[in-house]
Amino acid sequence: MQDCIFCKIVNGDLPAKIIYQDEEIIAFDDIHPIAPIHKLIVPRKHIATLNDLSSSSNDKNLISNLMLVAQKLASEFNIDKSGYRVLVNCNKDSGQLIYHLHLHLLGGRPLAFAC
Ligand code: 5GP
Ligand code: ZN
């Protein structure tokens, strides 16, 4: 997707502080962190929203792998014991800004219910 910021990061056309990558997933620091730990976990493939995932085994594997990367990074950044939140925004009312599916990994401070 030409105008997608996260596709540009995936392709190396836009810089980001990359903290994890494998053949299907990339993770990097959020540019405007709202918590001491704020990472974005992103499929390399352009999928606009959570609504665009299907029940195919490929997509099932992808969403579980995204969650497992969140779990791994939580442990790596030492927020697994203190606690953390994994968040997906979907469409306008959630405040989704980037229409390329991503998980937010938030932690490093007590998190209010809405963040
Ligand atoms: P959304 O509201 O779509 O769930 O979240 C998008 C997130 O992407 C926001 O937290 C925002 O700060 C982050 N973001 C927007 N543009 C960039 C960018 O160019 N680089 C990085 N690393 N994060 C970005
Ligand atoms: Zn994209």
Side-chain angles (χ1 to χ4, degrees), residues 3 12-13 19-20 25 28-29 34-35 46 57 65 68 76 82 90 99 105 108 112:
D3 290 331
D13 294 332
I19 47 158
Y20 175 86
I25 294 169
F28 46 88
D29 285 349
I34 60 164
H46 182 90
S57 52
N65 290 340
L68 289 171
E76 228 166 77
S82 51
C90 181
Y99 280 77
L105 171 66

Side-chain angles (χ1 to χ4, degrees), residues 2 5-6 10 30 33 40 45 51-52 57-58 60 64 67 74 81 89 97-98 102 106 108:
Q2 254 176 358
I5 286 176
F6 288 176
V10 165
D30 195 292
L40 299 172
K45 180 178 159 199
N51 290 341
D52 299 301
S57 52
N58 274 358
K60 281 181 179 167
S64 23
M67 288 300 276
K81 303 288 190 306
N89 289 320
L97 292 173
I98 308 280
H102 53 282
L106 297 161

